[in-house]
mmCIF file of all heavy atoms in Angstrom:
data_model
loop_
_atom_site.group_PDB
_atom_site.id
_atom_site.type_symbol
_atom_site.label_atom_id
_atom_site.label_comp_id
_atom_site.label_asym_id
_atom_site.label_seq_id
_atom_site.Cartn_x
_atom_site.Cartn_y
_atom_site.Cartn_z
ATOM 1 N N LEU A 21 -0.848 -11.656 -26.285
ATOM 2 C CA LEU A 21 -0.983 -12.483 -27.486
ATOM 3 C C LEU A 21 0.341 -12.571 -28.223
ATOM 4 O O LEU A 21 0.708 -13.634 -28.750
ATOM 5 C CB LEU A 21 -2.057 -11.894 -28.414
ATOM 6 C CG LEU A 21 -3.498 -12.195 -28.010
ATOM 7 C CD1 LEU A 21 -4.467 -11.427 -28.885
ATOM 8 C CD2 LEU A 21 -3.775 -13.683 -28.095
ATOM 9 N N GLY A 22 1.051 -11.440 -28.218
ATOM 10 C CA GLY A 22 2.344 -11.438 -28.902
ATOM 11 C C GLY A 22 3.311 -12.457 -28.310
ATOM 12 O O GLY A 22 3.910 -13.269 -29.013
ATOM 13 N N VAL A 23 3.433 -12.417 -26.967
ATOM 14 C CA VAL A 23 4.373 -13.350 -26.320
ATOM 15 C C VAL A 23 3.902 -14.790 -26.510
ATOM 16 O O VAL A 23 4.705 -15.701 -26.745
ATOM 17 C CB VAL A 23 4.510 -13.019 -24.825
ATOM 18 C CG1 VAL A 23 5.420 -14.015 -24.132
ATOM 19 C CG2 VAL A 23 5.042 -11.612 -24.658
ATOM 20 N N PHE A 24 2.597 -14.972 -26.418
ATOM 21 C CA PHE A 24 2.045 -16.318 -26.620
ATOM 22 C C PHE A 24 2.399 -16.812 -28.012
ATOM 23 O O PHE A 24 2.752 -17.990 -28.206
ATOM 24 C CB PHE A 24 0.528 -16.281 -26.434
ATOM 25 C CG PHE A 24 -0.115 -17.625 -26.515
ATOM 26 C CD1 PHE A 24 0.127 -18.588 -25.566
ATOM 27 C CD2 PHE A 24 -0.979 -17.923 -27.561
ATOM 28 C CE1 PHE A 24 -0.473 -19.841 -25.640
ATOM 29 C CE2 PHE A 24 -1.592 -19.171 -27.640
ATOM 30 C CZ PHE A 24 -1.338 -20.132 -26.678
ATOM 31 N N GLY A 25 2.319 -15.884 -28.985
ATOM 32 C CA GLY A 25 2.707 -16.248 -30.337
ATOM 33 C C GLY A 25 4.139 -16.752 -30.379
ATOM 34 O O GLY A 25 4.464 -17.706 -31.078
ATOM 35 N N GLY A 26 4.987 -16.094 -29.566
ATOM 36 C CA GLY A 26 6.370 -16.551 -29.491
ATOM 37 C C GLY A 26 6.468 -17.991 -29.000
ATOM 38 O O GLY A 26 7.235 -18.803 -29.534
ATOM 39 N N PHE A 27 5.676 -18.309 -27.990
ATOM 40 C CA PHE A 27 5.732 -19.667 -27.443
ATOM 41 C C PHE A 27 5.299 -20.704 -28.463
ATOM 42 O O PHE A 27 5.892 -21.784 -28.585
ATOM 43 C CB PHE A 27 4.841 -19.769 -26.197
ATOM 44 C CG PHE A 27 5.526 -19.330 -24.945
ATOM 45 C CD1 PHE A 27 5.111 -18.193 -24.278
ATOM 46 C CD2 PHE A 27 6.592 -20.041 -24.427
ATOM 47 C CE1 PHE A 27 5.754 -17.774 -23.127
ATOM 48 C CE2 PHE A 27 7.233 -19.626 -23.273
ATOM 49 C CZ PHE A 27 6.810 -18.491 -22.625
ATOM 50 N N VAL A 28 4.218 -20.388 -29.180
ATOM 51 C CA VAL A 28 3.771 -21.407 -30.138
ATOM 52 C C VAL A 28 4.741 -21.499 -31.323
ATOM 53 O O VAL A 28 4.894 -22.558 -31.922
ATOM 54 C CB VAL A 28 2.323 -21.160 -30.644
ATOM 55 C CG1 VAL A 28 1.368 -21.193 -29.500
ATOM 56 C CG2 VAL A 28 2.216 -19.866 -31.389
ATOM 57 N N ALA A 29 5.406 -20.372 -31.617
ATOM 58 C CA ALA A 29 6.381 -20.421 -32.706
ATOM 59 C C ALA A 29 7.511 -21.377 -32.356
ATOM 60 O O ALA A 29 8.071 -22.047 -33.221
ATOM 61 C CB ALA A 29 6.922 -19.019 -32.969
ATOM 62 N N LEU A 30 7.834 -21.437 -31.051
ATOM 63 C CA LEU A 30 8.873 -22.371 -30.598
ATOM 64 C C LEU A 30 8.530 -23.812 -30.953
ATOM 65 O O LEU A 30 9.402 -24.656 -31.084
ATOM 66 C CB LEU A 30 9.039 -22.283 -29.080
ATOM 67 C CG LEU A 30 9.890 -21.129 -28.540
ATOM 68 C CD1 LEU A 30 9.893 -21.172 -27.010
ATOM 69 C CD2 LEU A 30 11.311 -21.243 -29.051
ATOM 70 N N ARG A 31 7.238 -24.085 -31.063
ATOM 71 C CA ARG A 31 6.840 -25.443 -31.372
ATOM 72 C C ARG A 31 6.662 -25.621 -32.879
ATOM 73 O O ARG A 31 6.098 -26.604 -33.330
ATOM 74 C CB ARG A 31 5.533 -25.766 -30.657
ATOM 75 C CG ARG A 31 5.693 -25.818 -29.165
ATOM 76 C CD ARG A 31 4.352 -26.085 -28.522
ATOM 77 N NE ARG A 31 3.950 -27.463 -28.725
ATOM 78 C CZ ARG A 31 4.028 -28.397 -27.789
ATOM 79 N NH1 ARG A 31 4.512 -28.089 -26.600
ATOM 80 N NH2 ARG A 31 3.616 -29.623 -28.028
ATOM 81 N N GLY A 32 7.106 -24.624 -33.613
ATOM 82 C CA GLY A 32 7.064 -24.766 -35.066
ATOM 83 C C GLY A 32 5.738 -24.384 -35.676
ATOM 84 O O GLY A 32 5.455 -24.726 -36.817
ATOM 85 N N LEU A 33 4.911 -23.666 -34.930
ATOM 86 C CA LEU A 33 3.617 -23.302 -35.490
ATOM 87 C C LEU A 33 3.610 -21.838 -35.916
ATOM 88 O O LEU A 33 4.378 -21.033 -35.417
ATOM 89 C CB LEU A 33 2.524 -23.502 -34.430
ATOM 90 C CG LEU A 33 2.360 -24.941 -33.940
ATOM 91 C CD1 LEU A 33 1.558 -24.957 -32.652
ATOM 92 C CD2 LEU A 33 1.673 -25.777 -35.000
ATOM 93 N N ASN A 34 2.722 -21.508 -36.813
ATOM 94 C CA ASN A 34 2.559 -20.129 -37.238
ATOM 95 C C ASN A 34 1.610 -19.424 -36.266
ATOM 96 O O ASN A 34 0.457 -19.819 -36.153
ATOM 97 C CB ASN A 34 1.976 -20.101 -38.658
ATOM 98 C CG ASN A 34 1.803 -18.682 -39.164
ATOM 99 O OD1 ASN A 34 1.839 -17.722 -38.394
ATOM 100 N ND2 ASN A 34 1.631 -18.546 -40.468
ATOM 101 N N PRO A 35 2.105 -18.391 -35.604
ATOM 102 C CA PRO A 35 1.250 -17.736 -34.604
ATOM 103 C C PRO A 35 -0.093 -17.271 -35.166
ATOM 104 O O PRO A 35 -1.107 -17.361 -34.494
ATOM 105 C CB PRO A 35 2.086 -16.531 -34.151
ATOM 106 C CG PRO A 35 3.475 -16.912 -34.451
ATOM 107 C CD PRO A 35 3.460 -17.826 -35.628
ATOM 108 N N LEU A 36 -0.091 -16.799 -36.388
ATOM 109 C CA LEU A 36 -1.351 -16.282 -36.935
ATOM 110 C C LEU A 36 -2.398 -17.385 -37.030
ATOM 111 O O LEU A 36 -3.582 -17.167 -36.792
ATOM 112 C CB LEU A 36 -1.100 -15.654 -38.306
ATOM 113 C CG LEU A 36 -0.225 -14.401 -38.281
ATOM 114 C CD1 LEU A 36 0.109 -13.936 -39.681
ATOM 115 C CD2 LEU A 36 -0.921 -13.287 -37.522
ATOM 116 N N ASP A 37 -1.934 -18.608 -37.398
ATOM 117 C CA ASP A 37 -2.882 -19.722 -37.441
ATOM 118 C C ASP A 37 -3.488 -19.950 -36.067
ATOM 119 O O ASP A 37 -4.686 -20.217 -35.932
ATOM 120 C CB ASP A 37 -2.164 -21.019 -37.869
ATOM 121 C CG ASP A 37 -1.797 -20.977 -39.346
ATOM 122 O OD1 ASP A 37 -2.423 -20.188 -40.074
ATOM 123 O OD2 ASP A 37 -0.893 -21.737 -39.737
ATOM 124 N N VAL A 38 -2.620 -19.852 -35.067
ATOM 125 C CA VAL A 38 -3.094 -20.126 -33.715
ATOM 126 C C VAL A 38 -4.082 -19.041 -33.275
ATOM 127 O O VAL A 38 -5.114 -19.326 -32.665
ATOM 128 C CB VAL A 38 -1.905 -20.206 -32.727
ATOM 129 C CG1 VAL A 38 -2.401 -20.398 -31.321
ATOM 130 C CG2 VAL A 38 -0.993 -21.343 -33.120
ATOM 131 N N TYR A 39 -3.761 -17.772 -33.599
ATOM 132 C CA TYR A 39 -4.694 -16.703 -33.238
ATOM 133 C C TYR A 39 -6.060 -16.949 -33.872
ATOM 134 O O TYR A 39 -7.104 -16.791 -33.244
ATOM 135 C CB TYR A 39 -4.177 -15.339 -33.721
ATOM 136 C CG TYR A 39 -2.904 -14.883 -33.054
ATOM 137 C CD1 TYR A 39 -2.036 -14.018 -33.718
ATOM 138 C CD2 TYR A 39 -2.576 -15.285 -31.769
ATOM 139 C CE1 TYR A 39 -0.874 -13.580 -33.118
ATOM 140 C CE2 TYR A 39 -1.409 -14.864 -31.171
ATOM 141 C CZ TYR A 39 -0.564 -14.014 -31.847
ATOM 142 O OH TYR A 39 0.599 -13.577 -31.257
ATOM 143 N N ALA A 40 -6.010 -17.328 -35.141
ATOM 144 C CA ALA A 40 -7.273 -17.586 -35.847
ATOM 145 C C ALA A 40 -8.037 -18.694 -35.143
ATOM 146 O O ALA A 40 -9.260 -18.616 -34.977
ATOM 147 C CB ALA A 40 -6.986 -17.968 -37.293
ATOM 148 N N ALA A 41 -7.311 -19.725 -34.714
ATOM 149 C CA ALA A 41 -7.974 -20.830 -34.037
ATOM 150 C C ALA A 41 -8.566 -20.383 -32.709
ATOM 151 O O ALA A 41 -9.640 -20.830 -32.304
ATOM 152 C CB ALA A 41 -6.976 -21.972 -33.809
ATOM 153 N N LEU A 42 -7.852 -19.463 -32.019
ATOM 154 C CA LEU A 42 -8.378 -18.955 -30.750
ATOM 155 C C LEU A 42 -9.730 -18.294 -30.968
ATOM 156 O O LEU A 42 -10.683 -18.517 -30.238
ATOM 157 C CB LEU A 42 -7.414 -17.917 -30.149
ATOM 158 C CG LEU A 42 -6.267 -18.435 -29.298
ATOM 159 C CD1 LEU A 42 -5.319 -17.306 -28.965
ATOM 160 C CD2 LEU A 42 -6.793 -19.073 -28.025
ATOM 161 N N VAL A 43 -9.776 -17.469 -32.004
ATOM 162 C CA VAL A 43 -11.029 -16.761 -32.269
ATOM 163 C C VAL A 43 -12.109 -17.744 -32.701
ATOM 164 O O VAL A 43 -13.240 -17.713 -32.232
ATOM 165 C CB VAL A 43 -10.811 -15.683 -33.353
ATOM 166 C CG1 VAL A 43 -12.137 -15.053 -33.719
ATOM 167 C CG2 VAL A 43 -9.846 -14.632 -32.851
ATOM 168 N N ALA A 44 -11.722 -18.650 -33.597
ATOM 169 C CA ALA A 44 -12.704 -19.607 -34.103
ATOM 170 C C ALA A 44 -13.193 -20.516 -32.979
ATOM 171 O O ALA A 44 -14.382 -20.781 -32.839
ATOM 172 C CB ALA A 44 -12.082 -20.435 -35.225
ATOM 173 N N GLY A 45 -12.228 -20.979 -32.200
ATOM 174 C CA GLY A 45 -12.579 -21.908 -31.133
ATOM 175 C C GLY A 45 -13.466 -21.272 -30.073
ATOM 176 O O GLY A 45 -14.256 -21.934 -29.426
ATOM 177 N N GLY A 46 -13.310 -19.959 -29.908
ATOM 178 C CA GLY A 46 -14.132 -19.312 -28.899
ATOM 179 C C GLY A 46 -15.416 -18.740 -29.460
ATOM 180 O O GLY A 46 -16.459 -18.790 -28.830
ATOM 181 N N PHE A 47 -15.318 -18.151 -30.650
ATOM 182 C CA PHE A 47 -16.473 -17.399 -31.137
ATOM 183 C C PHE A 47 -16.842 -17.715 -32.574
ATOM 184 O O PHE A 47 -17.697 -17.059 -33.147
ATOM 185 C CB PHE A 47 -16.163 -15.890 -31.020
ATOM 186 C CG PHE A 47 -15.678 -15.495 -29.646
ATOM 187 C CD1 PHE A 47 -14.322 -15.403 -29.372
ATOM 188 C CD2 PHE A 47 -16.581 -15.243 -28.624
ATOM 189 C CE1 PHE A 47 -13.869 -15.050 -28.096
ATOM 190 C CE2 PHE A 47 -16.134 -14.895 -27.360
ATOM 191 C CZ PHE A 47 -14.784 -14.800 -27.110
ATOM 192 N N GLY A 48 -16.176 -18.689 -33.170
ATOM 193 C CA GLY A 48 -16.338 -18.889 -34.610
ATOM 194 C C GLY A 48 -17.654 -19.516 -35.028
ATOM 195 O O GLY A 48 -18.131 -19.272 -36.107
#
Side-chain angles (χ1 to χ4, degrees):
Chain A
L21 281 173
V23 177
F24 184 66
F27 275 113
V28 299
L30 279 178
R31 293 178 73 103
L33 298 164
N34 181 345
L36 294 173
D37 288 339
V38 176
Y39 295 153
L42 274 172
V43 174
F47 309 96

